Amino acid sequence: MFTRQELIDYTRDAKEKWLNHISVDCVVFGFHEGQLKVLLLKMKDEQSWYLPGGFVLKDEHLDDSASRILNERTGLDQIFLQQFHVFGDPQRSRPHYEMYKDVADNENNWFSNRFITIGYYALVDFHNTVPAPDSLSEKCVWCGLDALPGFILDHKQILDNALYALRLQLNYQPIGYNLMPHEFTMPELQKLYETILDKKLDRRNFQRKILAFDILNRSEHPRKGGAHKAPYLYSFNLEKYQQALKEGLAAGW
Amino acid sequence: MFTRQELIDYTRDAKEKWLNHISVDCVVFGFHEGQLKVLLLKMKDEQSWYLPGGFVLKDEHLDDSASRILNERTGLDQIFLQQFHVFGDPQRSRPHYEMYKDVADNENNWFSNRFITIGYYALVDFHNTVPAPDSLSEKCVWCGLDALPGFILDHKQILDNALYALRLQLNYQPIGYNLMPHEFTMPELQKLYETILDKKLDRRNFQRKILAFDILNRSEHPRKGGAHKAPYLYSFNLEKYQQALKEGLAAGW
C-alpha cells in the first residue's frame, strides 16, 4: 500500500502522464504439465492479488499500452495480446478508492476516479516466459486455475471473462502455437483443448476435427521409445495457422 | 457544425456531465429485401456521415450508455447491443479537433481531447425499427453496404470491424432471430447468411449445417401458392436459440 505522501506524488505524476478514467488489465495464460495457469501479481503490503494492469499514456495507442504495461509489471516482452471485453461498471474501481480514502483526499487520490478497464488476454509459452515482479509488487507468479487466491476489484470476473473468450476462440481460430512444444502427439494437443474447455473430448472426434482444420504438419518420424506403437508427431503449419487466424477455421461457413 | 458560442456551451456542459476521453459508437445492422443495411446519421451543416455515437455519463454503466446513446440519437429502443472492439489510436479523433480548432481554443473545445471509442453492434428487425434523427442531425437513415457515403473520423473502419465481428459470430453463435420474419424458408435464411458473409453457400451444406445446430422449428404446414412443391417453413426455437447464445453452437467442441 502507498503511504499518504507516496499516494499524493503518484496522483500528481499520474495526472500529467496518463489518460483519466481508462485502465488496461492483462490476463496471460500459460500451459504447463497439463494445467492452464494464469499470471498474477501480489502488491507489497496487500493481501489481495491483481492481474497485471496499468494506465494509458496520453499519446499512446491503446494496444501499445497493453504491451508496455505487461512488460513493465511482469518483465514479459513480445507478447501478442488481444482485446476481449471492456468492464464499465461505475462501481468496479470503488474498492480501490475505499482502500485509500483515509490516506488522501479526492484531489490527491488518483484511485478516487472511476476507471473503465479494457481487458486483454494472451496465450504464452510457459517455458520461455520467466515473470519478474515490478517495484510495486512483492510477487509475480503463475497460478493454476484450480488454486486461485483472493482478487482485488473485479479481477476474478475479468479472468472468468477471458477464459470464456478463449473457449469461444477455440471454435473459430487456431490455438496452441504459443502453448505447445514444437512437436507434439495428438493426445498432447487434445489435453490442451480439454484443459481450456474443462471437459473430456472424444478421441476420434477430436482427431477428425483438428485434422479437418488443415493447420498441422505430421512428422515422417514417429516418437521413439516405449513398448507400444510409436505415436505420430505433429507440429503447426505456421502459414496455414496464420491464415486461419485471419480468416477463421476451415470448418466455418 | 457548432458555432463558437454553441461549442463553448457544449464543452462546459460536457465537462460536468461526461467522462473525458471515452466515447461509444454503435453499428446497427438491419436486413431488408436481401440486403444488409446499416443505420447512419448526417449532422446538420456537415457533409460527412456518422455512426450513432456519444459519451458516457459520469456515473453510468458503460453498457447502459450504449443503449441510451443509440436511443437519443436514433429513437431506437430496447436494442440488444454487444461490444465488439475498442478503437484506441491516439490520432483517431484528430479530424474532429481540426474541424473546430479555429472555432474555439483547447480549453473551450471538448473535441480537442483524445477519445478512445468503444464499438457496440446490434442486429435489428428492419420492419419494426423506424429511426428518427436527434436535434443535432439532419438525417438518420438505413444505408445499404454497397452504397456507403463518406464517413467522419474512423467510422468506416469501425463499421468494417463490426462486420468482421458479425461474420465471426456466425460460426459460434446463432444469428437471425431479430433479422428474419417469424416464419421463413430455408433459402430465405440462407440468403441472410450469404448476405452477411458476402459469398454464395452450397444449398445442401447450408441446410445440413444449420439443422445440426438444432435451433430451428419446422412448421407442419408448408407455404401455399405457386406451381412448385410448397416449401417448408421454419422458425427459431427461442429456448434453444438463447441457450446457444450462451453456450455456443452445437457444432463447437
Side-chain angles (χ1 to χ4, degrees):
Chain A
M1 257 182 87
F2 293 111
T3 63
R4 179 177 152 72
Q5 193 53 49
E6 280 170 348
L7 190 61
I8 290 170
D9 294 346
Y10 188 87
T11 297
R12 191 192 51 233
D13 294 346
K15 279 181 179 166
E16 288 295 311
K17 211 170 154 184
W18 295 318
L19 295 182
N20 198 352
H21 303 304
I22 298 169
S23 65
V24 165
D25 284 296
C26 304
V27 185
V28 181
F29 294 110
F31 187 62
H32 181 57
E33 294 181 348
Q35 255 211 324
L36 199 60
K37 302 199 170 183
V38 62
L39 201 59
L40 299 181
L41 289 173
K42 186 171 175 297
M43 293 278 276
K44 284 174 182 164
D45 307 318
E46 287 186 31
Q47 289 313 305
S48 305
W49 290 71
Y50 291 77
L51 296 167
F55 306 107
V56 180
L57 293 171
K58 289 206 166 163
D59 210 31
E60 179 181 44
H61 196 296
L62 180 67
D63 295 340
D64 295 336
S65 73
S67 304
R68 175 188 53 77
I69 287 165
L70 184 63
N71 177 254
E72 286 177 2
R73 302 222 56 188
T74 71
L76 267 58
D77 204 4
Q78 306 275 336
I79 303 293
F80 175 63
L81 287 155
Q82 289 177 275
Q83 291 178 14
F84 67 93
H85 195 73
V86 186
F87 299 83
D89 185 331
Q91 297 303 319
R92 63 167 295 281
S93 45
R94 193 84 196 157
H96 227 152
Y97 164 67
E98 295 292 334
M99 199 162 91
Y100 285 114
K101 73 174 176 181
D102 298 329
V103 181
D105 57 27
N106 276 354
E107 181 73 14
N108 293 304
N109 178 358
W110 175 253
F111 301 107
S112 70
N113 296 307
R114 170 184 174 189
F115 284 95
I116 285 175
T117 202
I118 294 144
Y120 281 80
Y121 77 107
L123 298 169
V124 305
D125 179 351
F126 184 91
H127 291 281
N128 289 325
T129 312
V130 182
D134 67 341
S135 62
L136 296 171
S137 307
E138 180 187 314
K139 294 181 191 170
C140 176
V141 292
W142 288 105
C143 190
L145 293 186
D146 54 353
L148 294 172
F151 284 92
I152 190 104
L153 310 181
D154 55 354
H155 285 201
K156 176 65 166 65
Q157 188 195 335
I158 296 175
L159 169 56
D160 289 344
N161 220 299
L163 202 54
Y164 176 78
L166 179 58
R167 284 170 184 163
L168 270 187
Q169 195 191 335
L170 274 188
N171 292 304
Y172 61 86
Q173 283 189 330
I175 269 180
Y177 184 72
N178 296 319
L179 295 176
M180 299 297 289
H182 176 62
E183 288 193 321
F184 44 85
T185 64
M186 196 51 75
E188 285 165 356
L189 187 61
Q190 182 173 338
K191 179 71 188 167
L192 171 67
Y193 274 67
E194 289 181 337
T195 303
I196 293 174
L197 293 168
D198 197 21
K199 68 178 181 194
K200 284 273 165 210
L201 298 172
D202 177 75
R203 187 178 61 82
R204 285 219 253 180
N205 279 344
F206 178 80
Q207 174 149 345
R208 184 181 50 74
K209 206 161 163 176
I210 202 92
L211 290 178
F213 289 159
D214 191 25
I215 51 169
L216 297 181
N217 294 320
R218 195 175 82 174
S219 166
E220 299 286 312
H221 311 287
R223 188 179 282 170
K224 284 170 190 153
H228 301 287
K229 205 182 102 190
Y232 279 106
L233 287 174
Y234 295 86
S235 60
F236 287 104
N237 181 320
L238 194 52
E239 197 182 326
K240 290 182 175 179
Y241 187 98
Q242 283 172 335
Q243 197 180 338
L245 272 182
K246 276 193 210 124
E247 298 169 15
L249 290 164
W253 289 98
Chain B
M1 256 182 88
F2 293 111
T3 63
R4 178 177 155 74
Q5 192 54 49
E6 280 171 347
L7 189 62
I8 290 171
D9 294 346
Y10 188 88
T11 296
R12 192 191 50 231
D13 295 346
K15 279 181 181 166
E16 288 295 310
K17 212 171 154 183
W18 296 319
L19 295 182
N20 198 353
H21 303 305
I22 297 169
S23 64
V24 165
D25 284 296
C26 305
V27 185
V28 181
F29 293 111
F31 187 62
H32 182 56
E33 295 181 345
Q35 255 212 321
L36 198 61
K37 302 197 169 184
V38 62
L39 201 59
L40 299 182
L41 289 173
K42 185 171 175 296
M43 293 280 275
K44 286 173 180 166
D45 308 316
E46 286 186 32
Q47 290 313 306
S48 305
W49 292 72
Y50 290 77
L51 295 167
F55 306 107
V56 180
L57 293 172
K58 290 206 166 161
D59 209 29
E60 181 182 42
H61 196 296
L62 179 68
D63 295 341
D64 295 335
S65 73
S67 304
R68 175 186 55 74
I69 287 165
L70 185 62
N71 178 254
E72 287 177 1
R73 302 221 57 186
T74 70
L76 267 58
D77 204 4
Q78 306 276 333
I79 303 293
F80 176 64
L81 287 155
Q82 289 177 274
Q83 292 177 13
F84 66 93
H85 195 74
V86 186
F87 299 84
D89 185 330
Q91 297 303 320
R92 63 167 294 281
S93 46
R94 193 86 196 156
H96 227 153
Y97 164 68
E98 294 291 335
M99 199 162 89
Y100 285 115
K101 73 173 178 185
D102 298 328
V103 181
D105 56 27
N106 276 355
E107 180 75 13
N108 293 303
N109 179 357
W110 175 252
F111 301 107
S112 71
N113 296 306
R114 171 185 173 188
F115 285 94
I116 285 176
T117 204
I118 294 144
Y120 280 81
Y121 78 108
L123 299 168
V124 305
D125 178 351
F126 183 90
H127 291 282
N128 290 323
T129 310
V130 182
D134 67 341
S135 62
L136 295 171
S137 306
E138 181 187 314
K139 293 181 191 168
C140 176
V141 293
W142 288 106
C143 191
L145 293 186
D146 53 354
L148 294 173
F151 285 91
I152 189 104
L153 310 181
D154 55 355
H155 285 202
K156 176 63 166 65
Q157 189 195 335
I158 296 175
L159 168 57
D160 289 345
N161 220 298
L163 202 55
Y164 176 77
L166 178 58
R167 284 171 184 162
L168 270 187
Q169 195 191 333
L170 276 186
N171 292 305
Y172 61 86
Q173 283 190 328
I175 269 181
Y177 184 72
N178 297 318
L179 295 175
M180 298 298 287
H182 175 62
E183 289 193 321
F184 45 84
T185 64
M186 196 52 75
E188 284 165 357
L189 187 61
Q190 182 174 339
K191 180 73 191 165
L192 171 68
Y193 273 67
E194 288 181 340
T195 304
I196 293 174
L197 293 167
D198 198 23
K199 68 177 179 192
K200 285 275 166 206
L201 298 173
D202 177 73
R203 187 178 61 82
R204 284 218 253 183
N205 279 345
F206 178 80
Q207 175 150 344
R208 185 182 48 74
K209 205 159 166 178
I210 201 94
L211 291 178
F213 288 159
D214 192 25
I215 51 169
L216 297 180
N217 294 321
R218 193 173 84 174
S219 166
E220 297 286 311
H221 311 287
R223 188 180 281 171
K224 283 170 191 153
H228 301 288
K229 205 182 103 193
Y232 279 107
L233 288 173
Y234 295 86
S235 61
F236 286 104
N237 181 319
L238 194 52
E239 198 182 325
K240 290 182 174 177
Y241 187 98
Q242 283 172 335
Q243 198 181 337
L245 273 182
K246 277 192 209 123
E247 297 169 13
L249 290 165
W253 289 97

